[in-house]
Structure formats: C-alpha cells, structure tokens
Amino acid sequence: MLLSYLWSRSFLTSRPFLWLLFWCNLIGTVYGYIWYGGQLEYTLNYHPTWQIVFVPDSPTASLFFTISVLFLLYPPRLKGLKIIRQLMEALAVVTSVKYGIWASAIIFWGVAQGGHMIWQDWMLVASHTAMAVESLLFVRFFTCKWTALCVAALWTLLNDTVDYTFGIYPYLPRTLTDDVPQVRTFTYMLTLFSIAASWLAMVVRNRIAFPIARDAAER
C-alpha cells in the first residue's frame, strides 16, 4: 500500500513533494557547479570561451531537471514557454540518465583499476543514481515530444564530441588517465543508450500506461 502511494501521481505531483524535489536538485546543481570550479577556471584560462558551456556536464543535467520540476509547479500557458518546457524536459531525461550512470560507472571503473572509494565517491554514486532514477520516474508527467527528444539527443552527442575533441571531458580518476579512448567509446555508447531509454520511456508514457501525460503532450 505504501509503495503504491509513493508511486502514485497524487504523491509525486503534490506541491510539497515537488518543492522538496526542486530544492534538493537546485542545491545539488549549485554544489555541482562548485565541484567543477577548478576545471571551469582552467577552461576559461586555456580554452576558447565558448567551450565553457560543455564543461559542467552533471550539474547542467541537474539544472535541466530542476527547471522541469519548476514547470510542473507552474505550467506555462504561452506557446513559446511550452516549447521551452518540452526542450528542458527532454534534455533533463536524456542527460540525467546519461550522466547519472556515467559518473557512477566511472567511479567503479576507477576502483576496479586499483583506485580507492572515499566518502565523496559514495555520495556522488548516490546522487548521480538518483538523477537517472528521478528523470525516468517523472517522464510520465512531462510533456516533451519527439522533436524535443531529437534536439536533446543531438545536444548530448555534440557535448560528447566537444568533450573528447578538445579535452574538456570531466576529470577522471587517476587510474583511468591512460584509458581515455575506452572512456570516450563508453561515453558515446552510453549516450545512445540514454537516448534509447528516454525514447522507450516516452513510448510507455504515450501509448500504454499514462494517457493523462500523453494528452498533455499532444495539446
């Protein structure tokens, strides 16, 4: 009974829960940008300024989801804002799944190569896993359409290309510094998986289980 209620639309879209989700993600986003502070400064000093937007991958994914939750709290009425909402939602799903899994996988990959887990690593694993789970959980309440998903897919693939072409990918554990080609391949494959998972989640939302969200997306 409790699990059924926690899964229910009435609980997940209740304003108290959405506000809790909003603030948790907002705080995590701010912390994420602080975490990337050193790399952001280095990029500004030694790379073209335009590349800076591609550096903080995980906090930007979290920012997309935070904005999407805000749109759930205050659904827009203007057509332009509805389009922005759909784009934010699609970006939130694809990037949160991708970077949520990526960060955890890289941490465990580094440990498997001889690294050591510290408490910050466990914190990152927990928070990034939550990113992936919450994004897929809330797809059924989002209004994003296939066109927005295509834009999100292209953006994420572009991010990968910029990261590994210009060397601005997230800092890796020391044990993986000689495995960048393998990490690059894994990153691209994970992006394709995240796009496919997002597409499948939208299919389920639209055709099988969640007609209310489907109708909202079609309006």
Side-chain angles (χ1 to χ4, degrees):
M1 182 69 71
L2 178 60
L3 289 177
S4 177
Y5 174 69
L6 294 177
W7 168 255
S8 69
R9 181 185 183 92
S10 60
F11 172 73
L12 293 175
T13 61
S14 65
R15 297 189 73 81
F17 184 78
L18 287 176
W19 275 118
L20 175 64
L21 199 64
F22 172 82
W23 286 111
C24 287
N25 278 273
L26 181 60
I27 292 171
T29 298
V30 173
Y31 178 78
Y33 282 116
I34 294 173
W35 181 278
Y36 271 88
Q39 188 174 359
L40 289 168
E41 182 179 359
Y42 180 88
T43 303
L44 284 174
N45 290 335
Y46 298 101
H47 289 263
T49 304
W50 65 267
Q51 293 180 11
I52 195 71
V53 70
F54 296 98
V55 173
D57 296 333
S58 293
T60 301
S62 178
L63 177 63
F64 291 144
F65 187 81
T66 303
I67 295 172
S68 298
V69 173
L70 192 61
F71 278 128
L72 285 174
L73 285 162
Y74 299 102
R77 296 183 179 181
L78 297 177
K79 183 177 180 180
L81 287 178
K82 289 182 179 180
I83 294 174
I84 293 174
R85 174 186 182 178
Q86 293 172 12
L87 183 57
M88 290 295 103
E89 291 171 343
L91 285 165
V93 178
V94 175
T95 61
S96 293
V97 172
K98 186 264 183 75
Y99 294 115
I101 297 175
W102 187 90
S104 300
I106 291 299
I107 289 172
F108 288 122
W109 190 351
V111 171
Q113 296 269 40
H116 301 282
M117 291 283 287
I118 58 177
W119 72 267
Q120 289 98 329
D121 294 324
W122 289 112
M123 180 267 294
L124 289 173
V125 167
S127 60
H128 283 78
T129 300
M131 284 174 57
V133 171
E134 68 182 5
S135 64
L136 290 175
L137 184 62
F138 272 79
V139 170
R140 57 182 171 144
F141 309 128
F142 288 166
T143 64
C144 49
K145 299 180 181 179
W146 305 116
T147 50
L149 178 62
C150 289
V151 173
L154 291 173
W155 167 262
T156 310
L157 289 168
L158 174 63
N159 200 339
D160 292 345
T161 301
V162 173
D163 277 358
Y164 292 94
T165 299
F166 299 101
I168 59 170
Y169 49 83
Y171 290 153
L172 301 173
R174 291 182 180 179
T175 52
L176 295 183
T177 53
D178 57 347
D179 294 317
V180 174
Q182 293 88 338
V183 172
R184 180 180 60 231
T185 300
F186 169 72
T187 301
Y188 273 106
M189 295 302 293
L190 184 56
T191 294
L192 295 177
F193 168 81
S194 302
I195 295 168
S198 302
W199 172 81
L200 182 60
M202 288 177 62
V203 168
V204 172
R205 179 199 69 182
N206 289 354
R207 299 184 180 180
I208 301 175
F210 310 116
I212 296 176
R214 179 197 61 203
D215 294 341
E218 292 175 350
R219 284 199 294 269

